[in-house]
Amino acid sequence: MNAFELSLPDTLADAARKAGPNSAFKAAGIDLIDRLKERIDDPETVVDLLRLRDELGGIQATANGAVRLGALTTLQELADATALDAPGFGALREACGEAATPQVRARATLGGNLLQKNRCWYYRSNAFSCAHDGSGDRCLAWHGENKFHALFGTVDCVRVHPSNAAPALVALGAEVEIRGADADSSRRIPIRALYPQSPAARAPEHVLADEEILVAVHLPASAAAGRSAYRESREKLSFDWATTAAAAHLVVEGGKIARASVCLGAVAPNPWPLDDVAERITGQTPSRELFADAARRAFRRAQPLRHNAYKVEVGQAILVDALAAAAGLED
Amino acid sequence: MSFRRPPRDEHTMKVGFVGRGGSPGVSRQVTVDVPAGDLTPWDLDTKFKTVGGRTDRLDAVAKVTGRAKYAEDMRPAGMLYGVLVRATIPDGRLEGLDLDAVRGMPGVRAAIPLKDLGNRVRWVGDPVAAIAADTLDQAYDALARVKAEYTEGDAPIDFRDHENAPALRDGVVDEPWPSQDAAKIEQALADCERTAEGTWICEVQTHSSLEPHGLVAHFQEDDSLEVWASTQAVFGVQSGLARAMGLQPAKVRVHAEFVGGGFGSKFGPDAEGVAAARLSKETGRPVRVLLSRFEEHTCAGNRPSAIMRIRAGVDADGKITAWDYQSWGGPGYAGRGGGTRGVPQWTHAAVTRNSQSDLATATDAGRSMRAPGWPQGNFATEGMLEALASEAGMDSLAFRLLNDPDPLRQMEWRIGAERFGWADRVNPTPGKPREGDAPRILRGAGLAAAFWGQMGRPGNGATCRIHQDGTVEARSGAQDIGTGMKTLMAMLTAEELGIEVAAVKVTMGDSNDPVGPGSGGSTTTPSLAPTVRHAAGLAARQLCERVADALGVAPEKVTYRDGGIDADGKRLSFREACRHVGPNPIEATGQRQRNYEGYAEHICGCQFAEVEVDTHTGVVRVTKMLAVQDCGLVLNEKLAESQVIGAMIQGLSYALHEQRVMDREVGRMLNGDFLHYKVAGPADMPELEAIMQPVANGMNNVGAAGLGEAPAVAAPAAIANAVANALGVPVRHLPITPDKVLAALAKRR
Ligand SMILES: Cc1cc2nc3c(=O)[nH]c(=O)nc-3n(C[C@H](O)[C@H](O)[C@H](O)COP(=O)(O)OP(=O)(O)OC[C@H]3O[C@@H](n4cnc5c(N)ncnc54)[C@H](O)[C@@H]3O)c2cc1C
């Protein structure tokens, strides 16, 4: 990797001040350090957030039932959190508990997981000229090797968002708290808005400005209701990313689906919410047939590439599984 | 311990194996000529004290605690980091190379060209130059600044794009069978009661050794070279470097005390080793060149891809009578070495034809990898056996029993089937869920034969030293690549001397010790074991002589027996005897004779696998694997099992996950790391069991065979057959990934 200055701020304000156009925040560094070693990125300054546990750590449930998840919370802490015991939060616990490997989960932070860069093998090698990192002018995966690439929502780059946590949090209607250079620049946005509206090749993978820090994720009280589930498929159980993932949150009342929220992962440059599926099944009696029909419709809009058509079938199956689990239907 | 005294001696012994589980054993008397000086071969009646036990690997603790020092751990004072500048185009010629800009960069100590202008570039990774710098990052900084210019050719990247590649339609070879030598095979096929035909395809697998290739070289002022290498062949590295540097081999000292995996890819210094030596000579400093993970995947060899097709047939009884095999290998730029083959015994009664060709590509050259060519060939062969069994309306196991001519494997099939629970695990209605399973889950079982045919050779030495304090040393210049050879040397020495294993100190991997074999083709154990035993026997004889001298007893009245010495009616324990050794230790160098005619020149084995397929996602999980494996005399049951289990794991990974993915336009590997190149991990492991079947093969004074390859031959085939049994339709293309499973299911529907 290239030489850089390592900054170890003690306060959030200090961290935000140290950041700039040629800096990178580091949480556990699992994604960032990899990119530095591969020389995909070469920041002049790396601002380490790990010492800011007071401001960025912890899981706090508030009296009204909402939960605040500090950006430095590890995936394993989330998977085990008693504050997330309610079945409504199930998708998040499952998503974090299934990610990566035990070693990675023990270190990887929530903030880093949401902001990690995509896994496209053209992008991850600095030997290829890639439109996304600016070294090239066209997406090589589009007509190249694209077995693990996108089915939906692409503009001119077929990367997929690799985060497990993101689709679960979208399904749960989470918000993210962001802090800019000044304390009064803090804002809260729906997690969907964390990702670019048009995920073009040149668009960054999230909307945070250089000096902005993801402080926390807020789960609304409404997320605790009902039940949510996360399911994914991957080629191997150890050390692998999902080829497709789905999170579903359902509130069933009187045998009917009163509220639904659904999001796919690993199939589009952003987490891929399925609001139309949610709408279609709301008011219906949950059943595998209903979900299978909804999944079929959802994937009709898929635009498979040369090598990833299988993801259409896998994605439907995973979506039905997540919905069925959220509805409490037995296998 | 007993020497054959006369110059040559006819020795009669019992070879074979004891029957088990109701199956008959084989016991044969053979009479062999044991040359003067060799030890009486161990046979079926020999009772062992240490050999055959479950002694823990001697260096296990050192390895898991990090105390074991690999080449990768060596940091001699003043060491520089070397990197290779490698071609960025797959095919063409090197037209320009500018290293001047690099030489002045911070920390850079040397930059040397490795390829002459105008020379051919053969793949993305072909070495062009080498750089040494104070730190690795400085070396990489320099590497990024090297300017190389090329003219580009247009050699294919994928062997399927080669002009001589067979036409494929839907994954099946779509062209006529060869016309050469056709009459006999065509007739045999025509005479068959039933026939089957199919195409099988394998992708490239990389060796993925955990420790990278390379070495730390220190060129000294007296024109000698000392290196710490990661290698499967200490003496291959020695001679390779001597040749490259114009030195006498004796001037090159090679250390390889611990080796972090090689699987057939680490037999010489290779470009990186020679570069390290040259950079060291140029700078006068030790230089380390160890490959990066990307280089490991792209510049250190691989198991070639293959297309295989077979047509074959059975007679009215279900016996195989015709077998036509054709294969195309993808060995990369080497253009050869892509041959494939399956266990040959199936066709003992058949008319056969075999044709093979290689298709060169502008990619890294294939190298031998754990049974080179066999896992591919056996995947096809066993797939064909399944097709024939189904044509003949027979159960897979029954079909094997009918056609397998080997009495040893006959027994192994039965032992394995019983222990595995074949009858309960095989899916009687392939493609249909088993009772009690969720409808989306399909389960099935498969099996496959193992085979290997190497019993070692003479031409190496091993030393046994006995010190007056009773310590014993066993030494060989050969390397222990992780198989546990050091432990076996200790056990063999302890057995021969009748002492405890803990009393033996083993040293391996130093070229100053006697020459030992390269670890390839499963030959290290069979080559070295008789040598080590012989050295211990010679040392014991010297001990007798020293005791005789010291006690003033006639030498013929002193004999070595049961870990001690009988000297004219007086009994001395080993330690007591050693006191008479004196300050000058006993040192004996053992040898190995040519193999005798013993039980058999080959080993067998078989494996069983059970899989579970999620038909909605196409994901295959192996739930259980079992191997029954022979290897002549089992020297250490635990290490042998570990070797077999390792082969099953590697085979699982090959069958389901591993595949080099190339960008066909740029010619560069896309998944050249361990994040995108998929190797099975802990959570992917099935229940694994290995049952060792001892055989007294009598081919030398020990009679042990190597175990690296045979179990690797069976595993992928067994898994692929299990998948076919589950799905009701085979997937004839490795790795069996979800996309292929879903495609196969769609076709079945
Ligand atoms: C073998 C392996 C398997 C994996 N499998 C999965 C998987 O199945 N599912 C999955 O979701 N992930 C998987 N991952 C990815 C892993 O979960 C992420 O790399 C990890 O979560 C990143 O967290 P981190 O704390 O290390 O982030 P870092 O690497 O420190 O940071 C990642 C990015 O986020 C930025 N960043 C981090 N925190 C903040 C903050 N608070 N404010 C602003 N910017 C910030 C950094 O600047 C950087 O760009 C896998 C990783 C490995 C190595």
Side-chain angles (χ1 to χ4, degrees):
Chain A
M1 62 182 94
N2 292 325
F4 55 81
E5 188 187 310
L6 179 65
S7 163
L8 300 166
D10 289 316
T11 65
L12 204 50
D14 198 16
R17 250 194 321 273
K18 290 271 165 45
N22 287 317
S23 74
F25 289 119
K26 173 190 154 299
I30 295 168
D31 178 37
L32 178 72
I33 301 294
D34 249 10
R35 281 185 272 129
L36 300 189
K37 285 199 290 194
E38 298 295 333
R39 296 184 174 223
I40 301 166
D41 290 86
D42 58 343
E44 281 163 19
T45 310
V46 170
V47 183
D48 196 330
L49 303 177
L50 274 190
R51 308 216 286 188
L52 309 179
R53 293 228 177 257
D54 285 351
E55 287 160 294
L56 296 180
I59 301 176
Q60 288 127 20
T62 56
N64 71 0
V67 183
R68 176 192 189 273
L69 310 168
L72 289 182
T73 316
T74 67
L75 299 185
Q76 195 60 54
E77 285 165 350
L78 289 168
D80 298 339
T82 48
L84 299 176
D85 263 352
F89 295 133
L92 181 59
R93 281 202 321 275
E94 289 168 359
C96 294
E98 280 195 35
T101 67
Q103 293 98 317
V104 171
R105 291 197 292 274
R107 300 287 299 171
T109 68
L110 177 59
N113 189 271
L114 296 176
L115 301 174
Q116 64 177 308
K117 298 287 171 76
N118 76 87
R119 308 295 320 170
C120 172
W121 39 30
Y122 291 94
Y123 163 72
R124 288 272 165 179
S125 161
N126 75 356
F128 287 98
S129 36
C130 159
H132 177 54
D133 69 14
S135 59
D137 50 17
R138 67 188 172 104
C139 173
L140 294 175
W142 201 304
H143 298 289
E145 295 298 326
N146 46 35
K147 186 179 172 189
F148 301 110
H149 290 73
L151 296 173
F152 297 102
T154 56
V155 182
D156 54 354
C157 164
V158 295
R159 66 180 187 262
V160 302
H161 202 274
S163 166
N164 277 25
L169 290 171
V170 169
L172 296 179
E175 291 186 340
V176 291
E177 179 185 337
I178 297 161
R179 185 199 193 279
D182 322 306
D184 54 8
S185 66
S186 280
R187 55 185 175 129
R188 256 167 88 152
I189 56 169
I191 186 159
R192 293 180 185 208
L194 182 59
Y195 302 108
Q197 218 161 29
S198 170
R202 286 297 157 84
E205 284 172 80
H206 57 75
V207 300
L208 297 199
D210 294 329
E211 70 290 348
E212 280 186 319
I213 296 173
L214 195 159
V215 175
V217 173
H218 294 269
L219 292 169
S222 60
R227 181 188 293 275
S228 74
Y230 171 89
R231 292 291 184 272
E232 66 173 47
S233 184
R234 49 189 189 184
E235 292 197 351
K236 31 174 212 138
L237 291 177
S238 293
F239 221 85
D240 207 0
W241 271 266
T243 56
T244 58
H249 184 213
L250 300 180
V251 177
V252 181
E253 281 167 10
K256 302 262 192 245
I257 297 170
R259 195 146 59 78
S261 175
V262 188
C263 184
L264 299 176
V267 293
N270 291 339
W272 190 245
L274 295 174
D275 294 341
D276 50 345
V277 167
E279 202 174 311
R280 177 170 293 278
I281 63 177
T282 303
Q284 307 283 322
T285 307
S287 73
R288 285 198 160 262
E289 293 66 39
L290 172 74
F291 297 149
D293 178 61
R296 247 188 323 271
R297 287 167 189 273
F299 277 84
R300 260 189 216 149
R301 269 170 301 138
Q303 292 181 301
L305 305 162
R306 183 150 172 227
H307 302 293
N308 71 353
Y310 74 100
K311 286 176 64 160
V312 171
E313 196 174 341
V314 178
Q316 291 180 52
I318 289 299
L319 176 55
V320 173
D321 288 347
L323 285 165
L329 299 179
E330 292 300 317
D331 250 342
Chain B
M1 192 218 54
S2 50
F3 277 93
R4 313 307 309 179
R5 292 260 168 201
R8 293 196 85 80
D9 187 36
E10 290 218 322
H11 173 69
T12 300
M13 62 178 155
K14 230 196 248 176
V15 296
F17 56 93
V18 179
R20 212 162 145 180
S23 292
V26 169
S27 170
R28 250 195 341 253
Q29 302 270 345
V30 295
T31 300
V32 299
D33 237 5
V34 178
D38 197 9
L39 299 163
T40 306
W42 287 333
D43 75 353
L44 203 50
D45 290 334
T46 308
K47 298 273 174 289
F48 297 99
K49 196 174 139 210
T50 302
V51 157
R54 301 182 65 84
T55 304
D56 286 339
R57 189 186 291 270
L58 294 186
D59 48 19
V61 173
K63 282 183 168 174
V64 297
T65 56
R67 263 193 289 121
K69 293 287 175 252
Y70 293 76
E72 152 78 35
D73 296 311
M74 296 303 160
R75 301 281 189 282
M79 186 186 82
L80 303 175
Y81 290 81
V83 293
L84 298 193
V85 180
R86 294 180 179 276
T88 51
I89 62 150
D91 177 40
R93 288 186 193 281
L94 179 67
E95 301 296 357
L97 179 65
D98 182 4
L99 295 173
D100 286 342
V102 164
R103 291 199 174 98
M105 287 179 68
V108 173
R109 306 283 169 176
I112 56 176
L114 297 177
K115 193 182 275 298
D116 292 332
L117 294 188
N119 274 3
R120 183 86 191 266
V121 166
R122 300 160 298 176
W123 86 102
V124 171
D126 204 347
V128 167
I131 297 169
D134 292 346
T135 71
L136 193 56
D137 282 318
Q138 286 170 336
Y140 277 122
D141 283 340
L143 192 119
R145 292 274 292 276
V146 172
K147 286 204 181 61
E149 279 156 38
Y150 307 96
T151 49
E152 296 197 34
D154 59 358
I157 300 302
D158 192 294
F159 77 141
R160 280 158 284 220
D161 296 334
H162 191 284
E163 56 182 3
N164 296 333
L168 289 170
R169 182 184 302 186
D170 280 340
V172 175
V173 174
D174 184 24
E175 58 179 50
W177 285 82
S179 52
Q180 223 176 345
D181 305 324
K184 254 177 91 181
I185 187 74
E186 295 289 357
Q187 187 58 51
L189 283 160
D191 291 345
C192 286
E193 184 72 17
R194 289 168 182 287
T195 59
E197 180 165 346
T199 296
W200 288 263
I201 301 176
C202 295
E203 300 298 329
V204 170
Q205 176 189 29
T206 70
H207 293 73
S208 296
S209 314
L210 275 193
E211 186 186 24
H213 289 65
L215 47 80
V216 178
H218 192 186
F219 200 91
Q220 266 116 8
E221 274 163 20
D222 65 352
D223 260 11
S224 69
L225 179 63
E226 185 165 17
V227 304
W228 293 263
S230 180
T231 183
Q232 298 176 246
V234 162
F235 297 95
V237 170
Q238 185 187 46
S239 59
L241 283 175
R243 218 175 308 121
M245 303 301 290
L247 301 171
Q248 289 299 318
K251 286 286 222 178
V252 182
R253 171 112 181 247
V254 179
H255 304 273
E257 195 185 348
F258 297 97
V259 184
F263 309 109
S265 65
K266 285 184 181 167
F267 285 106
D270 295 323
E272 53 275 10
V274 172
R278 286 184 55 194
L279 288 167
S280 177
K281 186 172 181 180
E282 175 123 345
T283 58
R285 306 254 297 260
V287 175
R288 156 202 159 109
V289 180
L290 286 171
L291 301 190
S292 67
R293 184 53 56 191
F294 182 76
E295 288 174 299
E296 277 297 299
H297 281 303
T298 58
C299 305
N302 52 64
R303 182 188 292 294
S305 50
I307 299 167
M308 298 155 285
R309 74 161 156 176
I310 308 176
R311 53 179 182 163
V314 293
D315 66 14
D317 300 331
K319 292 213 158 150
I320 300 165
T321 51
W323 190 272
D324 199 5
Y325 184 100
Q326 187 176 20
S327 89
W328 295 262
Y333 75 77
R336 60 196 169 83
T340 62
R341 61 183 308 199
V343 171
Q345 290 164 307
W346 299 114
T347 57
H348 69 283
V351 174
T352 61
R353 183 174 67 164
N354 197 325
S355 44
Q356 150 73 22
S357 48
D358 279 327
L359 306 166
T361 51
T363 55
D364 188 20
R367 288 188 194 176
S368 60
M369 179 169 183
R370 213 163 182 182
W374 290 73
Q376 300 99 306
N378 215 37
F379 161 57
T381 296
E382 288 283 352
M384 176 48 82
L385 294 182
E386 288 302 281
L388 291 175
S390 128
E391 281 294 324
M394 292 178 76
D395 165 75
S396 306
L397 176 63
F399 185 74
R400 302 303 192 285
L401 292 172
L402 176 71
N403 279 286
D404 195 334
D406 200 303
L408 176 55
R409 201 185 295 98
Q410 281 282 342
M411 184 172 97
E412 291 170 337
W413 287 121
R414 290 172 213 270
I415 297 171
E418 164 89 32
R419 176 86 191 164
F420 178 76
W422 171 257
D424 296 329
R425 290 184 196 270
V426 68
N427 190 339
T429 52
K432 302 241 161 56
R434 309 273 328 241
E435 231 179 84
D437 280 342
R440 71 194 272 179
I441 299 295
L442 290 177
R443 271 194 296 133
L447 37 69
F451 182 89
W452 197 247
Q454 263 294 348
M455 289 295 164
R457 45 184 102 84
N460 51 78
T463 306
C464 180
R465 283 189 201 141
I466 301 178
H467 297 267
Q468 58 182 341
D469 65 356
T471 47
V472 176
E473 278 184 82
R475 305 182 68 102
S476 162
Q479 56 296 316
D480 178 348
I481 57 168
T483 58
M485 192 64 218
K486 285 175 193 158
T487 312
L488 303 188
M489 284 178 60
M491 292 174 81
L492 288 158
T493 305
E495 182 74 46
E496 185 59 24
L497 296 178
I499 60 175
E500 296 301 315
V501 178
V504 185
K505 184 175 171 288
V506 180
T507 304
M508 292 191 79
D510 181 343
S511 62
N512 278 3
D513 281 318
V515 172
S519 296
S522 297
T523 56
T524 311
T525 302
S527 297
L528 217 46
T531 321
V532 171
R533 184 185 167 211
H534 186 233
L538 291 175
R541 187 152 70 179
Q542 285 189 36
L543 184 60
C544 290
E545 285 161 11
R546 294 215 188 167
V547 168
D549 260 4
L551 299 184
V553 181
E556 60 276 14
K557 292 205 170 140
V558 180
T559 53
Y560 197 99
R561 182 179 60 83
D562 290 341
I565 280 180
D566 296 325
D568 198 17
K570 193 168 167 232
R571 175 76 184 167
L572 283 80
S573 72
F574 182 72
R575 281 185 159 271
E576 287 162 350
C578 288
R579 285 196 202 112
H580 300 295
V581 164
N584 207 7
I586 287 170
E587 173 160 330
T589 298
Q591 281 175 11
R592 184 204 196 283
Q593 306 299 327
R594 230 180 265 288
N595 281 334
Y596 311 134
E597 185 209 315
Y599 171 71
E601 189 80 53
H602 65 270
I603 63 173
C604 299
C606 59
Q607 288 180 24
F608 298 77
E610 183 191 51
V611 301
E612 198 178 278
V613 186
D614 182 337
T615 54
H616 289 187
T617 61
V619 172
V620 178
R621 301 272 171 243
V622 183
T623 49
K624 186 178 171 72
M625 284 187 88
L626 178 132
V628 184
Q629 185 62 56
D630 58 281
C631 61
L633 179 64
V634 178
L635 294 175
N636 179 322
E637 193 179 39
K638 193 177 190 181
L639 288 176
E641 289 169 5
S642 159
Q643 189 74 359
V644 174
I645 285 172
M648 289 196 273
I649 292 172
Q650 211 170 20
L652 182 159
S653 199
Y654 180 56
L656 300 185
H657 303 302
E658 291 186 50
Q659 171 177 7
R660 182 185 74 183
V661 180
M662 303 292 293
D663 180 80
R664 291 196 195 188
E665 214 176 295
V666 178
R668 189 179 166 95
M669 185 175 177
L670 285 162
N671 57 344
D673 54 46
F674 275 156
L675 290 176
H676 296 100
Y677 183 86
K678 296 179 193 283
V679 180
D684 303 302
M685 290 304 107
E687 184 188 333
L688 291 155
E689 185 177 351
I691 299 172
M692 298 310 300
Q693 172 57 45
V695 174
N697 81 16
M699 301 204 63
N700 49 64
N701 69 37
V702 170
L707 201 43
E709 337 269 333
V713 172
I719 292 169
N721 285 347
V723 171
N725 177 241
L727 299 183
V729 54
V731 178
R732 290 176 170 166
H733 187 172
L734 300 187
I736 303 175
T737 44
D739 50 329
K740 292 178 193 147
V741 171
L742 293 175
L745 284 169
K747 216 192 259 173
R748 198 195 66 190
R749 276 184 228 120

